[in-house]
Amino acid sequence: MDGSANHMDQPALTEIQFDPENLHYDLRAEQPFCCFSGPGNSAIPITLSVGKGAPLALYGDEPEPVRIGALLHVNEGTPEEPVRGALIGEYRADSDAFSAQKGLHYTRNMEIYISPEAPAELILDIDLVKETRFWGAEMGHRPLTMIVTQRRVAIRPAQPDPLDMTEALMRLHDSRAREARYEAVIFALLNQLSKRDG
């Protein structure tokens, strides 16, 4: 077998550059969860930083650009132990072409659409995607996973009423909802640590 045949067996650079041995990147959000008040669009700021493998070109005019993408799944589990169900949405963060340099951070808005038929509990996986080819998770990277839940909204009275308890109940509900979300995040982190230690 000649050298050209061996060369043909080697994967292209675009296929191996996403391997964790060749590329380290991190995606972060200000909150590990997201609340939506009903169907419609929600914008989530996502921050990307690239370590090993920088500079990394994103977006641009090539036929298969690298972008920041997201997959929205139904959560068939709980906030503490999410289970990915059916895929109900796929999104891309809005951006012009840029080159991610080592040590720098790049924040882009990921706008997701929640349909009226969507359930109240969802999972959003955010990752780099090589269009029409693969997602970073398929190459061994860990996506940024966010729990998305619907916030139940109380109807406010048109005129303030000193005897009306709606405002106080709404504050109590929001406080309990925040506590529940924080507990869910803490339990999820503890669960990950226990699995890692085990």
Side-chain angles (χ1 to χ4, degrees):
M1 184 177 295
D2 61 16
S4 61
N6 289 333
H7 179 71
M8 292 294 291
D9 292 336
Q10 296 300 317
L13 178 61
T14 54
E15 294 175 345
I16 66 172
Q17 66 179 350
F18 278 81
D19 190 294
E21 294 295 322
N22 301 302
L23 175 66
H24 298 168
Y25 62 85
D26 180 53
L27 290 159
R28 298 191 307 276
E30 291 184 7
Q31 298 286 350
F33 50 81
C34 174
C35 291
F36 63 97
S37 297
N41 292 331
S42 296
I44 305 171
I46 302 299
T47 300
L48 167 71
S49 59
V50 178
K52 187 176 181 181
L56 178 66
L58 285 93
Y59 297 79
D61 298 327
E62 63 177 282
E64 299 171 340
V66 177
R67 294 191 175 106
I68 303 171
L71 298 173
L72 186 65
H73 296 266
V74 175
N75 184 2
E76 296 184 345
T78 64
E80 296 84 0
E81 295 187 4
V83 177
R84 289 167 184 79
L87 176 68
I88 60 173
E90 185 170 330
Y91 312 94
R92 301 292 184 268
D94 184 40
S95 179
D96 296 325
F98 70 98
S99 177
Q101 305 293 322
K102 184 176 182 179
L104 299 181
H105 306 283
Y106 304 86
T107 301
R108 301 291 185 270
N109 275 332
M110 177 72 69
E111 190 170 278
I112 63 172
Y113 173 74
I114 307 295
S115 72
E117 296 79 21
E121 302 294 332
L122 306 168
I123 300 173
L124 187 68
D125 286 328
I126 302 171
D127 203 353
L128 293 184
V129 55
K130 178 76 171 173
E131 296 292 4
T132 74
R133 299 291 294 281
F134 53 77
W135 290 75
E138 297 176 271
M139 307 300 290
H141 290 276
R142 179 180 296 179
L144 167 64
T145 299
M146 299 179 65
I147 304 302
V148 182
T149 185
Q150 183 170 7
R151 183 194 299 276
R152 292 167 177 82
V153 181
I155 299 175
R156 298 174 183 268
Q159 297 294 331
D161 183 350
L163 299 179
D164 186 83
M165 297 299 293
T166 302
E167 193 72 27
L169 289 173
M170 289 183 67
R171 287 198 299 269
L172 178 61
H173 176 272
D174 285 344
S175 176
R176 288 179 175 174
R178 283 195 300 271
E179 291 175 0
R181 292 195 299 272
Y182 287 132
E183 287 176 359
V185 172
I186 291 171
F187 282 131
L189 292 174
L190 290 175
N191 188 43
Q192 290 178 5
L193 289 174
S194 63
K195 289 180 180 178
R196 184 181 303 173
D197 294 338

